[in-house]
Amino acid sequence: MKQDSDLRNNLKSIRTRLGMSQQDLANIANVTRQTISGVESGLYAPSVAITLRLAKALGCQVEDLFWLERDLPEIEAVLAKPVPNGQQLRVSMARVGGQWIAYPLIGKDAFRQDMIPADGESTSVAGTNKVRVRLLDDNLDTLHNTVVIAGCAPVISLWARATERWHPQLRVQYNFANSMAALHSLCRGEAHIAGMHLYDPESGEYNTPFVRDVLAGREAVLITLGVWEEGLLLKSGNPMGIRTVSDLVAGGATIVNREIGSGSRMLLEQTLQKEQIPFDAVQGFDNILKSHQDVAQAVGLGVADAAISTASIATAFGLGFIPLHQSRYDLVILKEYLEEAPVQQLLSTLGHRMVHSQFEILGGYDISKIGEVVATV
C-alpha cells in the first residue's frame, strides 16, 4: 500500500538506536527487508498486522513508531520577544493569563546545559507580534499545566526539578531574566511569576517599591524564596588581597559587570556611590555579562579579577567570596494567577523538605522564612 502523505514514522531511528539492521528487524517481525526499507523511506504504508509486529519487535507502542502529521494541533500565540518576520523557530509554549505565549528557543535561550526540547515550530505573522505554532505533539494538558517563572536565581531550577518530581503532571518553565526584566515580563503577561532581588536604599525595602512602580496599580503578592549573601567573587585564594570595593580601584583590579536592571549591578553601583567612587574608576565597569554563571566563569578563567554575585555561586565555582550585603529574593505573583491550580501546586512545594534540602546543601541561603507572604501591592 502506498504511504499516506500525512503518515510519519521514526522506524529507522528506533531500529538503529537498538543496533538492528533492516534484515535483523525483518527477521524478528517476520516480514521482508524490502518492507522495512519501504516503510522507512515513506513509500509503503504497513497494514495493521505489520504495524503491530514492528512495534512488538522493537518493544514500543504503535504510537511511538507512527503518527499522522495532520493530527498535530496548530494554535496562535504571542511571541515573548521579537524575531525577524517569516523566520521559522523552535519555541517553548505556555498558557499565561488566558493566552498562549511562545518563547523562542534561540541562542542561550535554547540551552541550559543540554538543549531544551521544543514544544512546537512557529512562523511569525508579518506586521504583528503573533505567530502560528505547529505543535510537535498533541499533549495540550502539559502546556496547560506549565508554570512560567522569569528570574535569575539558579536555585529556581532546583526548586522546579524538585516540584516536577512531586507533581509529575506539572511542568515548570524557567526563563532567565534579571530582576527588572523579570518584573516587566510579568507585567506584559509573559510569566506567572517574577523573581527579583532589588534593594531600595531610600525606603530600606526590598523589591516592593520596584513592584509597585512597574505594576502601576495591578494587584500582586510577594512571597520570599530566601535571603542570600551577595558580594565580591574573587579568584581562589584571593591573590590580590581584595577586601572591599575600594580595593578594586586601589589594586587596579579588572571586573566584569552585569546589565542594567540586575540586582548585582545595582548593588555594585550603590556600594560605589556610598564610598564616593566614580563608576569609571573601576576597570571593566562597562564589560557586561548577563548571568551569575557567566561572571563566575569569567573570574574563574582569569578574564576578570572580580565580579558581584552570590555566596552560593562562589561555592559552586570554587571561588573566593567577600560578603557585602544580604538580599531578600522574592517571588512576585499577580493575584489573578494566584489561585490557578498549577501555580498553587508549585507554591505548595516551598514547604517540602525535598526543596529545603536542595537549598541547604547549596549554601549561602537563609530559608527560614521561605514561602512567607512578605508584601501585597
Side-chain angles (χ1 to χ4, degrees):
M1 183 185 298
K2 188 177 179 181
Q3 180 85 307
D4 186 319
S5 61
D6 287 321
L7 184 64
R8 299 288 184 268
N9 76 80
N10 59 357
L11 182 62
K12 182 177 180 179
S13 64
I14 294 178
R15 172 179 61 77
T16 54
R17 189 170 71 239
L18 294 174
M20 290 185 184
S21 67
Q22 288 184 341
Q23 189 62 60
D24 292 336
L25 178 57
N27 292 340
I28 297 172
N30 196 26
V31 298
T32 66
R33 188 195 63 76
Q34 289 76 14
T35 296
I36 303 299
S37 177
V39 173
E40 290 184 353
S41 64
L43 298 177
Y44 174 72
S47 66
V48 173
I50 291 176
T51 298
L52 292 171
R53 286 184 203 167
L54 291 173
K56 183 178 180 181
L58 293 169
C60 63
Q61 300 294 316
V62 170
E63 292 83 358
D64 297 329
L65 286 177
F66 300 95
W67 67 94
L68 289 172
E69 191 76 9
R70 61 176 173 237
D71 283 348
L72 298 177
E74 188 171 293
I75 57 180
E76 187 172 84
V78 176
L79 275 173
K81 62 173 61 176
V83 296
N85 283 336
Q87 180 177 338
Q88 287 192 318
L89 302 166
R90 296 172 64 251
V91 295
S92 183
M93 300 284 293
R95 187 83 172 169
V96 182
Q99 65 180 353
W100 289 107
I101 306 295
Y103 305 90
L105 298 175
I106 301 175
K108 284 191 173 183
D109 290 332
F111 294 86
R112 291 299 179 259
Q113 290 297 324
D114 301 321
M115 182 170 277
I116 298 171
D119 294 321
E121 180 183 45
S122 75
T123 303
S124 56
V125 179
T128 74
N129 67 337
K130 294 188 175 181
V131 290
R132 296 293 302 175
V133 178
R134 183 180 63 84
L135 299 181
L136 301 184
D137 65 44
D138 59 0
N139 192 5
L140 281 172
D141 287 344
T142 298
L143 303 186
H144 278 287
N145 287 317
T146 298
V147 179
V148 182
I149 307 177
C152 68
V155 295
I156 290 175
S157 60
L158 296 178
W159 176 34
R161 299 295 82 81
T163 296
E164 288 173 341
R165 287 176 59 191
W166 196 271
H167 297 288
Q169 80 284 7
L170 183 67
R171 185 176 73 162
V172 183
Q173 178 167 311
Y174 171 35
N175 296 336
F176 178 82
N178 68 48
S179 293
M180 286 303 292
L183 189 55
H184 283 289
S185 182
L186 178 72
C187 194
R188 290 192 300 267
E190 298 164 359
H192 297 96
I193 301 172
M196 57 187 303
H197 60 114
L198 298 178
Y199 177 68
D200 177 28
E202 291 187 11
S203 65
E205 290 186 274
Y206 293 97
N207 302 318
T208 307
F210 304 93
V211 173
R212 191 177 291 116
D213 181 56
V214 172
L215 295 188
R218 298 179 71 180
E219 294 186 322
V221 298
L222 281 73
I223 298 174
T224 192
L225 191 60
V227 176
W228 62 7
E229 282 190 308
E230 293 181 296
L232 290 170
L233 294 186
L234 304 167
K235 295 176 183 177
S236 180
N238 192 9
M240 298 185 71
I242 294 168
R243 296 296 172 192
T244 66
V245 170
S246 298
D247 291 341
L248 296 175
V249 179
T254 298
I255 71 164
V256 284
N257 202 355
R258 290 287 306 282
E259 72 280 18
I260 293 172
S262 70
S264 297
R265 184 189 181 102
M266 189 172 290
L267 173 60
L268 176 61
E269 291 180 351
Q270 289 170 353
T271 305
L272 290 172
Q273 288 168 345
K274 185 177 180 180
E275 298 190 18
Q276 298 183 327
I277 299 172
F279 296 168
D280 59 9
V282 182
Q283 292 185 43
F285 185 87
D286 293 325
N287 295 337
I288 305 302
L289 295 176
K290 294 190 175 181
S291 76
H292 291 284
Q293 295 94 318
D294 286 347
V295 298
Q297 269 194 323
V299 175
L301 293 173
V303 176
D305 299 309
I308 298 289
S309 189
T310 69
S312 59
I313 289 291
T315 300
F317 282 82
L319 299 174
F321 182 75
I322 302 295
L324 297 176
H325 183 71
Q326 287 193 324
S327 182
R328 197 181 72 215
Y329 197 96
D330 291 336
L331 305 168
V332 186
I333 311 168
L334 295 181
K335 286 189 176 178
E336 62 200 73
Y337 302 152
L338 196 56
E339 298 306 318
E340 293 185 8
V343 174
Q344 280 294 307
Q345 285 182 336
L346 176 63
L347 294 177
S348 72
T349 63
L350 286 175
H352 288 187
R353 180 63 193 169
M354 179 167 41
V355 174
H356 293 188
S357 297
Q358 290 291 335
F359 283 39
E360 288 166 355
I361 197 170
L362 183 64
Y365 280 84
D366 174 1
I367 58 169
S368 58
K369 295 187 178 180
I370 188 171
E372 288 190 13
V373 176
V374 291
T376 58
V377 297

